[in-house]
Amino acid sequence: KNFLVALFPMLVPEANLDLTIVLLLITLTGYLFLAVRCEPWRTQELNWLDWLSTGGLCIILLIGSMTVGGDEPSTGASIILTVIFSLLMLVMAFFFCGYAYRR
C-alpha cells in the first residue's frame, strides 16, 4: 500500500491528476477490503485503528480531490469517485454489521 501510494503521483503526469486520485483510491480501498477480511494485526484494537486510519485517508483524498486544479471536477471522475466512496461505505457497513454479529 505505502509503495503504491508513493509511486502513483510520480508515474502519472500532472495533466492526469484525476487518474492519480482514482488509482490512489483503488489502492487504499483495496487495502481496506483486505485488511477487514484478513485482520492482519494480533489485537482487535490495532485492526480497528488500521481500518479507521485507512478509511480516513480515503475520505480526506475524496474531499481534497474535488478541488484538484481549482476547476470543477470532470463528470467521469465525479462518477468514479462517487462509486468508490459508496463501495467504501458499503464495505465499512458490512464490517460493522459482521463485527457486531460476532460479539
Side-chain angles (χ1 to χ4, degrees):
K1 168 190 85 163
N2 293 337
F3 176 72
L4 292 176
V5 167
L7 185 68
F8 287 141
M10 291 188 296
L11 291 181
V12 180
E14 279 189 47
N16 298 333
L17 288 177
D18 291 342
L19 176 63
T20 304
I21 292 169
V22 169
L23 290 173
L24 288 171
L25 279 172
I26 289 171
T27 301
L28 290 172
T29 306
Y31 173 76
L32 182 61
F33 175 75
L34 289 173
V36 167
R37 180 79 176 127
C38 299
E39 296 185 353
W41 302 104
R42 288 185 183 193
T43 63
Q44 192 62 33
E45 291 79 15
L46 287 176
N47 285 318
W48 276 82
L49 183 62
D50 191 20
W51 301 332
L52 291 174
S53 65
T54 303
L57 283 173
C58 289
I59 292 169
I60 290 169
L61 185 61
L62 282 168
I63 292 170
S65 69
M66 297 302 166
T67 59
V68 168
D71 299 332
E72 291 288 323
S74 65
T75 305
S78 296
I79 291 171
I80 290 172
L81 290 173
T82 303
V83 168
I84 290 173
F85 181 72
S86 300
L87 289 174
L88 174 67
M89 292 298 112
L90 188 63
V91 166
M92 294 300 285
F94 279 126
F95 160 72
F96 286 123
C97 290
Y99 185 75
Y101 180 72
R102 279 190 270 169
R103 288 197 163 229

